[in-house]
Amino acid sequence: MNNEIPLGKKEDLHLELKGADALKDPEKIAREVVAMLNAEGGEVWVGLREEEGRAVAVEPIPEPEANRQSLRDFLVDSIEPSLSSLEITVHPISATTGSILRLQVKPDSTRRPYALLRKGGRSFWIRIEDRLRLMDREEIRRAFASTQPSNDEQNRAEETVKDELKDLQREAGGGPNGIFWLRIVPAPEYSLNLDALQNSDLLLDPSETENRRTGQTFFLAQGREGGRPQRKAGRLVMGETDDAALSIYRHEGIQLRLPLGKFHAGHEPGAEKPLYWLTLMEVPISVFRLLSKMLRVEALWEERLAESTWFVSSVALFGLHGWTLRPYSPQLRQLQGWWDYLLKEPRSSSVQDLIPAKPLRFPLREVQDYPDRCGFRLVSRIYEAFGFGTDEMPHEFDQKTGRLVLPE
Amino acid sequence: MILADLLQDQNPWWRDGAIRRARGYPVRRELQPKILQRILRVDDRRAVVLLGPRQVGKTVLLLQLADDLLQEGWPAQNLTYFDFSDDRITSDVTAREVVEAEPVGIDPAYPRVFLLDEIRSAPNWDLWLKQAVDARAGRIVATDSAARLLRDGARESGQGRWDEIYMEGLAFREFIRLHGGPDEEVETVLRRAPNLHERYLALGGFPEYVLQEDFPEVRRRLRSDIAERAILRDLSGQGVDVERVKDLFVYLLQDSGAELNAEARARDLNADARSVRDWARLLTDTLLVSSLERFNRNAAAGLRSKSKIYASDPGLVMAFAPLPVQDLTVRGRVFEAAVFRHLREAARELEGRLTFFRHREDLEIDFVLEDSRGLIGIEVTSGMRVRADKAERLRQAAKELGAARRILIHGGVIEETGKEVEAVAIQRFLLDPIACLRGEKA
């Protein structure tokens, strides 16, 4: 028996059980998914019979692949906003007697509230413990209000990101030198005390921001000589050249720029310029961990940060020609993992410059409490550009806890 | 297995001169070209005895020497490698037997070269080596993982006949080279990976592990390889209780940089203090720990005082740490072990003497280097910033010591020269200790 199947477990806020019959009325499943999206996410299992809220038996699903596809299509069509693969995944899971379906639901708090489209109308469901109910008018209003920064602020932050991307694109000009670029812009602008940040240890010791001292972090910008971060007009800069620098602005967030060479994985059979999965994962997450820590240190702020602050963020890679990426990771603890990893065909990027069309948006609370999740969502865009889904990304990022876990 | 077969197996170039045994190890240790030059010098008949702890790469260095000599056009039959610790050896093999087992086709125009691994396992090796050098039997490089090789009279035989060269775990520069691409400069690698010193501190200088990402697994393997092999196996013939010696070893590593309190350890180990001191000496002979005497202008008094014992490599401190590796105490010990490792090598090169200094039990300097230029006091702190009180105490202690220069090596990246104290970032020190000791600016 596949030990992932929650036989014997009870339904709760994060677990919903449905028998195989539920596929005859997929709207019921969609309702559960919407309710989870408006709560904390979780898993819906289709093909598990429940008694008194507890999974007691497997009910195999006929033609699991066909049913998986049709259920997924139904969910995408009947839920608003339209779901991405980051928000919902549907997988057949093998049991001794056949396959059942597991739906993993991961809400994007910036896109709430989610609604079920029904007969031309919308219904907003929310999960409370193991039950669901319709959201009331006030709950819906609050969900919209807390997820939407004002249009002006949103537009301004997005324009900043887009303008900088255009400048970089012009600068890179299809040249041979690759650039990694990550930007986080607050909406509205905030006022950071750069002196306090310079005098803190956050930019001296990676462990102060819960990063690994030995890790592939934003300290890669530091260069050979290291040294104290320097004050420049309106920002604090760590790095020896413009090509490799972490800039922390007083009002306009953070920018990290690194030569793509820093992401080279070294020798990998069958790949001329392999991107290093560890650097790709750890660098963006390390920047969000820095921001998360900054947000938690009151002394770093000239003014108290508004709870409604948002962050608009994007990652871009220029000059990807010739670079390749393999899915997953070598699973550090297993020698067999290396072989399995190397047997995976490396893929080339479909584009020379990876510039996501629309930046992502994160509320302050999400950056503060789940920095790894924010970084992961940016990294998933890089993997997407190489044709990989989130389930093919390195498993060192634990999707359940939302943490990147690496050995120290 | 008979000796002739074993020799054939260990010297595959005898049957095919194109075979290279160290092809998988392209990066050379800094010592390697120096030893190669020694072999190639016709006028120097002295042998080289290379001493270093287990797993620092002595065997690979010998095999690289073989590869490089073959590459230089040295006749393959004139080159003999032999590992006296080969598990297939069932009865004692002497060095003389190895030399006398001549392959067919030796070129008389070239001397023979003998690369003898773990020579201590050969009976009467020192007597043979003395005679072999006197008789100009060829160029000889021998290795071993025990310093006691040079005691018990062997040192006397070796006078003028062989040079002892110590090989430690990787120095930081060598560690960087292993992370670089072929022909990539150290500076370029550091630009790409500026926190390599943190990796060095976390993993240490055992070459087999430096490219690993799974740090906990490296530590587990170091513990098992070092404790099981170096201690249990190597010391099992010494007539001591190896289990208790192993326990003492763990104590010493967990307390790296502390003075040996034989009485307290004796109580812990249910032994007497004299045994503990003897065991500590045995462990120092394995070169896995290194002792540091207290500075004293009166040499005899120096010998009477307690020595500090350090792990010879920072990786060992990490591997045996009883606390989480992020703990500041562990980090402090790792820093000191790394600095001491580099200072030992620098002191040998500068022909200096290395000690620690203590005055009235309240002023102390971690390391004192005394060479022809005078005294340098070197204090180590793992802090990211140089604390003013720490610098002031170093200044006071150095004044008592009479040290002309005071260096404070710290874990940060900022270098500032304060009042009579030079602050040096650990990365710069590890990268070029001699330049730092000579006061050369970065």
Side-chain angles (χ1 to χ4, degrees), chain A residues 19 110 191 194 249 281 294 310 322 382 393 401:
Chain A
T110 64
S191 289
L194 293 180
Y249 297 87
M281 294 290 287
M294 285 162 53
W310 277 71
I382 299 172
M393 290 174 66
T401 60

Side-chain angles (χ1 to χ4, degrees), chain A residues 199-201 204-205 212-215 219-220 223-224 227-228 240 261-262 276 278 332-333 407-408, chain B residues 187 190-195 198-199 202 213-216 219 325-326 331 384-385 413-414 416 427 431:
Chain A
N199 290 326
S200 77
D201 283 350
L204 290 182
D205 181 354
R212 300 188 306 157
R213 288 193 177 112
T214 51
F219 280 83
L220 285 175
R224 154 79 180 82
R228 189 192 293 276
E240 54 182 13
K262 296 217 180 209
Y276 191 23
L278 185 59
L332 294 175
R333 279 167 193 266
E408 274 201 271
Chain B
E187 305 297 315
L190 273 182
R191 277 206 174 81
R192 184 159 48 76
N195 65 342
E198 289 288 356
R199 286 184 66 95
E213 284 296 345
D214 191 345
F215 301 125
R219 288 179 208 123
V325 294
Q326 295 87 351
R331 189 164 167 81
M384 289 284 173
R385 293 174 186 273
V413 288
I414 301 160
E416 288 160 354
Q427 192 194 70
L431 210 49

Side-chain angles (χ1 to χ4, degrees), chain A residues 118-253:
Chain A
R118 200 174 51 164
K119 296 171 190 159
R122 292 173 177 78
S123 60
F124 297 90
W125 295 87
I126 188 163
R127 190 169 180 88
I128 308 289
E129 296 183 353
D130 60 345
R131 303 193 171 274
L132 52 82
R133 66 165 169 77
L134 281 166
M135 293 166 79
D136 62 30
R137 189 183 143 84
E138 182 55 21
E139 280 174 327
I140 296 168
R141 191 194 64 76
R142 275 209 309 269
F144 274 116
S146 69
T147 55
Q148 299 299 319
S150 80
N151 273 344
D152 286 352
E153 288 157 359
Q154 176 192 356
N155 291 344
R156 181 200 56 76
E158 281 200 7
E159 285 313 309
T160 304
V161 171
K162 285 178 180 170
D163 287 350
E164 290 182 19
L165 270 168
K166 275 182 207 152
D167 289 347
L168 261 176
Q169 201 172 8
R170 268 196 297 275
E171 186 190 324
N177 297 324
I179 298 169
F180 169 92
W181 178 87
L182 184 153
R183 187 75 167 96
I184 305 173
V185 179
E189 285 185 353
Y190 53 44
S191 289
L192 179 64
N193 183 334
L194 293 180
D195 289 333
L197 181 61
Q198 192 172 23
N199 290 326
S200 77
D201 283 350
L202 301 192
L203 299 177
L204 290 182
D205 181 354
S207 69
E208 290 287 326
T209 50
E210 290 166 36
N211 283 302
R212 300 188 306 157
R213 288 193 177 112
T214 51
Q216 305 290 99
T217 65
F218 60 84
F219 280 83
L220 285 175
Q222 201 168 46
R224 154 79 180 82
E225 291 300 333
R228 189 192 293 276
Q230 298 296 311
R231 281 292 293 272
K232 294 190 178 169
R235 64 189 167 132
L236 198 55
V237 180
M238 174 206 276
E240 54 182 13
T241 64
D242 289 343
D243 289 340
L246 174 80
S247 301
I248 302 180
Y249 297 87
R250 183 169 170 228
H251 300 300
E252 295 117 10

Side-chain angles (χ1 to χ4, degrees), chain B residues 245-306:
Chain B
V245 176
K246 191 182 92 176
D247 289 345
L248 176 63
F249 177 66
V250 174
Y251 274 124
L252 295 177
L253 292 185
Q254 293 186 341
D255 217 7
S256 174
E259 286 176 37
L260 174 66
N261 185 338
E263 289 73 23
R265 289 291 168 242
R267 281 193 296 279
D268 296 333
L269 296 166
N270 196 20
D272 61 74
R274 194 172 153 187
S275 297
V276 168
R277 276 189 281 273
D278 286 346
W279 296 344
R281 204 169 304 121
L282 268 180
L283 288 170
T284 312
D285 283 343
T286 64
L287 303 169
L288 291 164
V289 292
S290 303
S291 67
L292 182 70
E293 286 172 14
R294 183 166 167 175
F295 176 85
N296 205 309
R297 289 194 168 79
N298 174 348
L303 287 174
R304 280 196 303 274
S305 59
K306 288 177 185 168

Side-chain angles (χ1 to χ4, degrees), chain A residues 269-342:
Chain A
E272 195 183 326
K273 284 204 286 186
L275 284 164
Y276 191 23
W277 66 273
L278 185 59
T279 318
L280 274 185
M281 294 290 287
E282 200 171 7
V283 163
I285 286 175
S286 74
V287 178
F288 276 94
R289 285 184 182 179
L290 166 67
L291 180 57
S292 163
K293 182 65 189 262
M294 285 162 53
L295 295 173
R296 283 178 279 144
V297 181
E298 267 184 45
L300 293 181
W301 302 95
E302 292 173 358
E303 291 166 13
R304 195 179 164 81
L305 276 167
E307 274 292 316
S308 57
T309 302
W310 277 71
F311 292 94
V312 173
S313 181
S314 192
V315 66
L317 276 72
F318 297 92
L320 272 176
H321 180 73
W323 288 88
T324 56
L325 182 63
R326 282 187 155 95
Y328 307 106
S329 70
Q331 299 275 314
L332 294 175
R333 279 167 193 266
Q334 299 161 8
L335 185 61
Q336 184 59 39
W338 273 103
W339 296 112
D340 291 346
Y341 178 68
L342 294 178

